[in-house]
Amino acid sequence: MALYLVRHGRPILDPAVPASAWVLDPEHEYLVEELAAQAPWPDDAVWYSSPEPKAARTAFLLAKREVPMVEDLREHDRGGS
């Protein structure tokens, strides 16, 4: 069994909102789709995502389906915005 950890794609940086609320930049989704096309993981891989919008969208693009979210799968909270 192999474990693949994938970081989210490029988000839209918005200093007015916390990083945990940033969304994936649609102009760069093609990079995630290119990774999906080269997928080293099997078709029946089990997927999970953090609830952060940028991560959930990345997981959706990679898995080509909705992915269960796990509340504890979050980036480190550095405080501030």
Side-chain angles (χ1 to χ4, degrees):
M1 177 190 321
L3 174 66
Y4 298 91
L5 300 175
V6 181
R7 189 173 189 274
H8 58 76
R10 185 179 298 190
I12 296 175
L13 306 180
D14 184 351
V17 298
S20 62
W22 290 348
V23 297
L24 200 61
D25 186 339
E27 291 185 19
H28 293 97
E29 284 187 0
Y30 75 93
L31 295 169
V32 178
E33 292 165 343
E34 285 177 1
L35 176 61
Q38 302 170 20
W41 47 80
D43 290 338
D44 63 348
V46 177
W47 289 87
Y48 297 97
S49 173
S50 85
E52 295 184 7
K54 60 188 176 278
R57 180 66 180 159
T58 299
F60 177 83
L61 291 172
L62 293 174
K64 299 176 179 63
R65 60 181 166 79
E66 293 296 325
V67 172
M69 293 184 195
V70 177
E71 200 61 36
D72 289 335
L73 290 178
R74 298 184 164 274
E75 290 187 18
H76 174 69
D77 181 2
R78 296 173 186 89
S81 56

